[in-house]
Amino acid sequence: MTTKATRIVYSFSLLMAAFSSYATTLQSGMYEGLLLAVSPTGNITGYYSESAEDSVKRTCTFFLTGHVSAQQPDKITSWSSSVLPGYIAANSTGVTLTLPDGQNHAGCMSVLMPEIATGLELDTTQQTRWQTLMQVSSPHAYLSTTPDAATRRKAWIVKGDVVGVIERQAGWTKVEFVNGSGKTSLGWVSSNDLQPLTPPAS
């Protein structure tokens, strides 16, 4: 016969198992210098940006793509001036990003921590609803309140900016942009103003 105490212990075990599973599942969000999006079908897109400044400001930026697999960590492809393979995995406080030659990305040698070669742990700073990341391809992408040019605001994002995609609707895309100081802007832009993050052909 199952006692009440046994049922409580069993229920607690199930809860902890569920929490553990959630904590180690790759999620869309901001992880210190990394913007990460995981689609419902498991596609991974990311953008890493970090700066260091003494007498000269130095910036390390690169993109990444991959796909969630049954086994952790997930293989990814990263690129800036060169294309480099690596891995990403969820951990209890965020994600672990591993790029064995990551410091060879343009501008990263004196900015990116050497732990990137064996596993750089990045803590979660904010969870998001991003389905993917995209890059602005037009000189200016004006933000609208609704998917309609009539509600265009006096706000825009510029070519090269990376945005998180939340929703798409009839030629419009709802995006979230995070600036260098962490401030976010939300709005709709024409889908024609955006391009996917795609590694260059090798």
Side-chain angles (χ1 to χ4, degrees):
M1 179 179 291
T2 304
T3 66
K4 182 177 180 181
T6 301
R7 289 197 300 272
I8 291 173
V9 171
Y10 180 71
S11 298
F12 180 77
S13 298
L14 289 177
L15 179 63
M16 291 304 294
F19 177 78
S20 176
S21 175
Y22 174 80
T24 56
T25 300
L26 209 57
Q27 303 282 328
S28 296
M30 291 183 264
Y31 301 87
E32 299 187 56
L34 176 67
L35 306 181
L36 187 71
V38 183
S39 75
T41 57
N43 290 323
I44 301 167
T45 47
Y47 173 66
Y48 186 89
S49 179
E50 183 181 358
S51 297
E53 189 168 359
D54 35 44
S55 58
V56 178
K57 183 176 181 179
R58 293 156 292 145
T59 302
C60 166
T61 62
F62 56 84
F63 305 95
L64 63 89
T65 60
H67 192 83
V68 174
S69 61
Q71 296 180 339
Q72 290 281 314
D74 299 310
K75 290 183 179 180
I76 56 171
T77 297
S78 67
W79 71 96
S80 59
S81 56
S82 57
V83 179
L84 301 173
Y87 300 90
I88 192 167
N91 61 45
S92 59
T93 60
V95 298
T96 301
L97 179 63
T98 306
L99 299 173
D101 298 311
Q103 288 189 309
N104 292 332
H105 277 313
C108 295
M109 179 59 71
S110 55
V111 177
L112 193 58
M113 295 178 67
E115 286 83 355
I116 190 67
T118 55
L120 179 62
E121 294 190 359
L122 303 169
D123 290 342
T124 306
T125 56
Q126 184 178 327
Q127 291 186 336
T128 68
R129 297 179 292 142
W130 300 336
Q131 297 180 6
T132 189
L133 298 182
M134 300 188 78
Q135 193 170 30
V136 178
S137 56
S138 62
H140 294 88
Y142 288 90
L143 296 170
S144 294
T145 305
T146 64
D148 188 332
T151 63
R152 191 172 84 175
R153 311 197 310 257
K154 293 181 178 179
W156 61 86
I157 43 185
V158 299
K159 187 172 183 176
D161 284 342
V162 176
V163 296
V165 172
I166 297 173
E167 183 182 350
R168 292 186 177 95
Q169 186 180 126
W172 290 84
T173 302
K174 188 175 185 179
V175 301
E176 186 172 27
F177 171 67
V178 184
N179 68 15
S181 61
K183 182 180 179 181
T184 62
S185 299
L186 191 68
W188 292 85
V189 300
S190 169
S191 298
N192 293 330
D193 291 331
L194 303 173
Q195 65 183 15
L197 302 186
T198 306
S202 57

